């Protein structure tokens, strides 16, 4: 059986935050946005339909829990949730807290300027804010 390996581009672009029952939770290293990704730890999954029926439901349950936590922690104007995979084929779902007047508003975040790397303090702060809003069953132990 093949084990889960995180795509090298995601490793380069993101910070590890936590592991949920199905997904790895990552935070994009871009200080302009509060941007998180869920990556199902299922080897070879490229699209949501590659998951078993059980894991498919679990993915969207974890996504909904993450969205609720982001709404509580960051009070965004809008949550953007998307699975593109045009540059990274490994299945991953973007969850982005959007604000009127943010660096890309009202356009999509992709292709709008260069990422601004976060310092350690900011990345830890965003992770803590999010974790405090997650349901207890998903919080890091």
């Amino acid at each position: 059986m093949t084990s889960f390996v995180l795509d090298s581009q995601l490793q380069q672009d993101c910070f590890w935050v936590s592991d949920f029952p199905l997904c790895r939770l990552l935070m994009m290293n871009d200080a302009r946005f509060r941007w998180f990704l869920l990556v199902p730890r299922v080897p070879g999954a490229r699209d949501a339909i590659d998951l078993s029926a059980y894991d498919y439901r679990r993915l969207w349950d974890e996504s909904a829990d993450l969205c609720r936590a982001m709404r509580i922690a960051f009070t965004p104007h809008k949550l953007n949730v998307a699975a593109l995979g045009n540059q990274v084929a490994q299945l991953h779902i973007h969850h982005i807290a959007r604000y009127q007047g943010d660096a890309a508003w009202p356009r999509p975040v992709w292709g709008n300027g260069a990422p601004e790397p976060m310092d350690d303090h900011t990345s830890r702060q965003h992770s803590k804010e999010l974790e405090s809003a997650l349901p207890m069953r998903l919080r890091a132990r």
Side-chain angles (χ1 to χ4, degrees), residues 5 9 17 36 38 41 46 50 77 86 93 105 123 131:
V5 176
Q9 189 67 50
V17 177
F36 296 85
L38 287 178
R41 293 187 316 277
R46 296 170 59 95
D50 295 332
H77 174 73
N86 298 341
I93 313 295
W105 187 265
S123 66
E131 187 171 18

Side-chain angles (χ1 to χ4, degrees), residues 18-22 58 60-66 68 131 133-141:
S18 186
D19 282 331
F20 291 173
L22 176 66
R58 181 178 265 182
W60 297 114
D61 287 345
E62 290 182 7
S63 176
D65 286 336
L66 175 58
R68 287 183 199 98
E131 187 171 18
L134 286 169
M136 290 299 291
R137 70 183 179 286
L138 296 179
R139 293 187 190 180
R141 301 196 195 317

Side-chain angles (χ1 to χ4, degrees), residues 11 23 28 38 40 49 70 82 94 105 117 119 122 125 132 141:
Q11 287 181 23
C23 295
M28 184 67 77
L38 287 178
I49 59 171
M70 290 177 69
H94 297 266
W105 187 265
D119 59 44
T122 302
Q125 184 64 31
S132 70
R141 301 196 195 317

